[in-house]
Amino acid sequence: MFRLEPRGSAPLIWQVATPVLAVLATMIVGGGLFAAMGFDPLAAIRTIFWDPLFGPASGYSRPQLLVKAGPLILIACGLALGFRAGIWNIGAEGQYIIGAICGAAVALAAYPLDAFWIFPAMILAGAAGGWAWGMVPALLKNWFGASEILVSLMLVYVAQRVAAWMAFGPMKNPEGFNFPGSRNLQQYDAAANPELIANSGLHWGGVAAVLALAATWFVMSRHVLGFHIRTAGAAPRAARFAGVRPERLVALCLGVSGALAGLAGLFEVAGPAGQITESFGSGYGFTAIIVAFLGRLHPLGILLAGLLMALTYIGGELAQMMLNLPAATVQVFQGMLLFFLLGFDILTRYRIRRRA
């Protein structure tokens, strides 16, 4: 018989090793799942992790790595601040959608004007929209003690209905032959978010992700706010004695994470997505939770985890096209990653001892 014995402190080696073990376990169990469904497990794993980088279609898929990783990293940076403080924003997907709607609204209101200020105004509107949506659970938590987990999650479904209403109503393209959806912002030069370097996949969303990583590192490592965030997450009562006001911290963390998610939505709707549709929202807000935890809530880890999850997105799409793998199976595969990460994370806080 064995028992779990609490560790005095989390060893660095286990903090680094558990994400690696989680990835390996996901490959093994995921391969078993593919085999049970009648697919070649080795071919499926190779298609997901190898072909996007070195396969026959890598010339197209490699640039997509930055396209997919940008919003994941941007959202995960905001979530990491809150998670470090014990503030759980599970509704980044809703903030992502609302930010995209607000940013697109600025562009559509200015259409067909060609002015330099339109795209910067869209950026501000996207951040403001995400911030406002994130402040709803913050205010309800501060005023009424509501759970930010439930409120932020429920607001995702409200945001999805708002996007559908916009696609069928106020934002519907009058020249779209009665199809739902807004104008394509990629065709509106003043509002478009094109590649900054040809065939690289890098657009302004990727630049914003790098800036967010740098800002997160500075705040958490070199600013007193990072000390307050870490203290509030580790010892809430001690944080009060250190002068931390929980209400302000809740508003700050949920507001910042909402603003970054809104920015990610804006860069997506002005770039790869191009328009507001009834199904706008690709699950980046939920996947970013995996990215944040897989990256250990650290900027460098978030960068690597964002690239890894982007790889699974692209590889999953290739597996669907080349192997006819169901889309839901790829989502299960991504969910396994978080499951095993949380499972192996026990080893950072506990050691296994044989029971006498």
Side-chain angles (χ1 to χ4, degrees):
M1 297 294 292
F2 297 91
R3 61 186 176 87
L4 293 176
E5 179 182 285
R7 296 180 185 270
S9 60
L12 178 61
I13 185 172
W14 278 115
Q15 295 184 42
V16 175
T18 49
V20 178
L21 291 174
V23 173
L24 293 176
T26 302
M27 288 184 178
I28 295 172
V29 178
L33 174 64
F34 298 146
M37 296 178 64
F39 297 96
D40 183 351
L42 295 179
I45 297 297
R46 186 187 67 245
T47 302
I48 293 174
F49 289 99
W50 178 264
D51 286 356
L53 297 176
F54 307 105
S58 59
Y60 166 78
S61 57
R62 267 198 299 261
Q64 290 297 307
L65 194 64
L66 292 181
V67 174
K68 302 290 187 183
L72 291 174
I73 293 171
L74 195 55
I75 299 171
C77 284
L79 294 179
L81 294 177
F83 293 166
R84 277 287 186 92
I87 300 167
W88 306 98
N89 179 12
I90 309 300
E93 180 74 5
Q95 295 143 24
Y96 168 89
I97 294 172
I98 296 299
I101 292 173
C102 292
V106 172
L108 296 176
Y111 183 84
L113 180 65
D114 185 11
F116 74 92
W117 54 264
I118 292 178
F119 192 68
M122 291 169 61
I123 293 175
L124 294 176
W131 173 85
W133 209 249
M135 287 302 293
V136 175
L139 294 178
L140 291 178
K141 180 178 179 65
N142 287 338
W143 291 348
F144 305 108
S147 168
E148 75 275 18
I149 297 175
L150 294 178
V151 175
S152 61
L153 181 60
M154 293 299 102
L155 285 175
V156 173
Y157 303 101
V158 177
Q160 291 172 344
R161 293 301 91 206
V162 172
W165 171 53
M166 289 293 176
F168 281 93
M171 287 188 175
K172 187 176 180 181
N173 185 0
E175 301 173 2
F177 303 101
N178 209 34
F179 285 98
S182 68
R183 294 182 185 274
N184 194 326
L185 300 184
Q186 291 178 328
Q187 300 172 1
Y188 181 18
D189 291 339
N193 179 28
E195 285 186 325
L196 300 177
I197 302 173
N199 299 321
S200 68
L202 178 66
H203 54 64
W204 286 111
V207 176
V210 173
L211 295 176
L213 286 169
T216 303
W217 172 83
F218 175 78
V219 168
M220 296 305 298
S221 303
R222 296 291 185 270
H223 198 275
V224 66
L225 177 60
F227 168 75
H228 288 171
I229 289 174
R230 294 194 304 272
T231 306
R237 293 185 63 186
R240 291 178 179 271
F241 286 106
V244 178
R245 295 190 60 180
E247 297 82 6
R248 289 185 179 179
L249 204 58
V250 167
L252 175 68
C253 290
L254 287 173
V256 169
S257 61
L260 292 180
L263 280 176
L266 175 275
F267 290 125
E268 186 72 11
V269 76
Q275 61 181 160
I276 296 294
T277 62
E278 60 177 319
S279 58
F280 182 83
S282 54
Y284 283 144
F286 293 120
T287 308
I289 298 174
I290 303 177
V291 172
F293 279 109
L294 188 63
R296 289 291 181 211
L297 309 181
H298 188 278
L300 178 59
I302 288 173
L303 172 62
L304 299 177
L307 292 172
L308 175 64
M309 292 307 298
L311 186 64
T312 64
Y313 264 112
I314 301 166
E317 293 172 358
L318 288 177
Q320 293 173 49
M321 292 186 295
M322 299 173 62
L323 305 177
N324 293 322
L325 201 66
T329 306
V330 178
Q331 295 173 352
V332 171
F333 188 77
Q334 292 175 336
M336 284 182 184
L337 191 56
L338 180 59
F339 173 81
F340 284 116
L341 177 67
L342 296 177
F344 284 116
D345 197 46
I346 294 177
L347 298 177
T348 64
R349 290 172 291 147
Y350 298 90
R351 60 170 57 90
I352 300 175
R353 295 293 192 191
R354 182 181 295 274
R355 189 184 297 275

